[in-house]
Amino acid sequence: MVLQRIFRAVIMGPPGSGKGTVSGRITKTFGLKHISSGDILRSNIDAKTELGLLMKACIDQGQLVPDGVMSRLILSDLRALGPNSWLLDGFPRTISQAESLDDAYNVDTAINLNVPLEIIKQRLTSRWTHLPSGRVYNIDFNPPKVPGFDDVTGEPLVQRDDDTPETVTRRLNAYKTQTEPVLEYYRSKGILETFSGTETNKIWPHIEAFLHRRLSVNQKVA
Ligand code: G5P
Ligand code: MG
């Protein structure tokens, strides 16, 4: 789909709710640029910069990276994208981050994946990731064609350091205390769209239909 008007969305949900998986489908179907805060942080860590070390300490403890660092990083990447449609995955995660984003851009919609917390832990401990691209696999849900290797590049997959059961518990706590208020923030602005369920394949058709509706309205207005 070629968009005639700029469309800017954020995708939210607890760790393991499927933000990365659904973002992959949205970018493929609708051609939005995908920016994942977690992928950006992990590539900084990989580059072993001083800032990367600070970020790694936060992530490995299941804590959020400080707002100032995070907002600067994401806003500079968004600026580099120029006048394009995009989908932000994993940002904003605090009210302060949501306000920094609002100061710079008009967000059209906030997609919220509402997946029960009980099933999330199991998903994360069986996740395999291709770090350079952020592509994710799961032993049960979407296994790679060759076990341990990325389908596209053939490069090795790894398990994220923060996918241990203890760190997942801390990440879920951070989500409840710091990120859930952001849902309320977007609800009060009238742009929150919540999709509930336990399986991505069942949630996805609803998100796809919603975006088709939103984007065709956008195009008529354009
Ligand atoms: P991230 O990288 O943003 P999280 O914790 O928000 O990490 P995560 O873990 O990346 O979110 P996800 O993207 O929501 O999860 O989920 P996913 O990867 O698509 O799916 C999870 C697994 O389930 C995969 O293996 C997938 O294949 C499988 N799966 C999907 N659907 C199904 C299904 O229907 N069934 C089954 N069985 N499996 C399925 O952030 C990491 C850290 O970076 C820092 C924080 O420290 C954070 O903890 N950070 C920030 N700090 C401050 N501010 C920010 N804005 C920050 N952003 C990141
Ligand atoms: Mg993710």
Side-chain angles (χ1 to χ4, degrees), residues 14-21 23 34 36-39 42 89-90 93 124 127 134 136 160 171:
S17 55
K19 298 183 294 295
T21 307
S23 294
H34 176 217
S36 152
S37 56
D39 290 349
R42 285 182 285 277
D89 157 6
R93 251 173 158 99
L124 290 180
R127 166 167 62 186
V136 285
R160 275 170 44 178
R171 286 161 61 196

Side-chain angles (χ1 to χ4, degrees), residues 12-208:
M12 302 187 57
S17 55
K19 298 183 294 295
T21 307
V22 170
S23 294
R25 295 183 188 188
I26 291 178
T27 50
K28 202 167 156 201
T29 311
F30 297 98
L32 309 185
K33 308 257 182 214
H34 176 217
I35 292 216
S36 152
S37 56
D39 290 349
I40 291 174
L41 291 173
R42 285 182 285 277
S43 64
N44 270 272
I45 291 169
D46 226 31
K48 298 196 165 56
T49 59
E50 204 176 311
L51 199 56
L53 287 177
L54 164 82
M55 294 164 176
K56 183 164 169 52
C58 296
I59 293 177
D60 286 356
Q61 288 168 34
Q63 291 171 355
L64 296 187
V65 171
D67 283 336
V69 175
M70 206 61 231
S71 295
R72 268 197 302 280
L73 202 61
I74 297 292
L75 289 173
S76 110
D77 274 42
L78 290 179
R79 268 193 299 277
L81 280 186
N84 273 299
S85 297
W86 42 248
L87 173 68
L88 257 182
D89 157 6
F91 184 97
R93 251 173 158 99
T94 63
I95 295 285
S96 155
Q97 293 179 14
E99 288 171 346
S100 324
L101 182 63
D102 263 357
D103 286 344
Y105 295 97
N106 183 38
V107 175
D108 292 292
T109 201
I111 294 169
N112 172 32
L113 303 181
N114 179 27
V115 177
L117 301 189
E118 311 85 73
I119 69 160
I120 277 173
K121 279 200 175 179
Q122 147 66 17
R123 283 189 186 183
L124 290 180
T125 44
S126 54
R127 166 167 62 186
W128 288 85
T129 305
H130 178 242
L131 282 182
S133 68
R135 269 186 292 279
V136 285
Y137 300 87
N138 189 281
I139 299 161
D140 319 300
F141 174 64
N142 59 337
K145 289 182 191 131
V146 179
F149 295 93
D150 179 44
D151 287 353
V152 178
T153 62
E155 290 168 352
L157 302 175
V158 296
Q159 286 202 285
R160 275 170 44 178
D161 290 343
D162 60 342
D163 277 348
T164 61
E166 303 74 37
T167 312
V168 169
T169 303
R170 290 201 209 110
R171 286 161 61 196
L172 289 171
N173 287 340
Y175 174 79
K176 277 193 151 303
T177 55
Q178 289 163 280
T179 308
E180 275 188 354
V182 183
L183 298 179
E184 206 40 60
Y185 176 89
Y186 284 128
R187 188 176 289 123
S188 71
K189 287 180 174 288
I191 59 167
L192 186 73
E193 289 295 328
T194 296
F195 299 88
S196 305
T198 54
E199 291 170 50
T200 299
N201 288 345
K202 291 197 175 148
I203 295 177
W204 167 243
H206 297 282
I207 298 176
E208 189 181 22

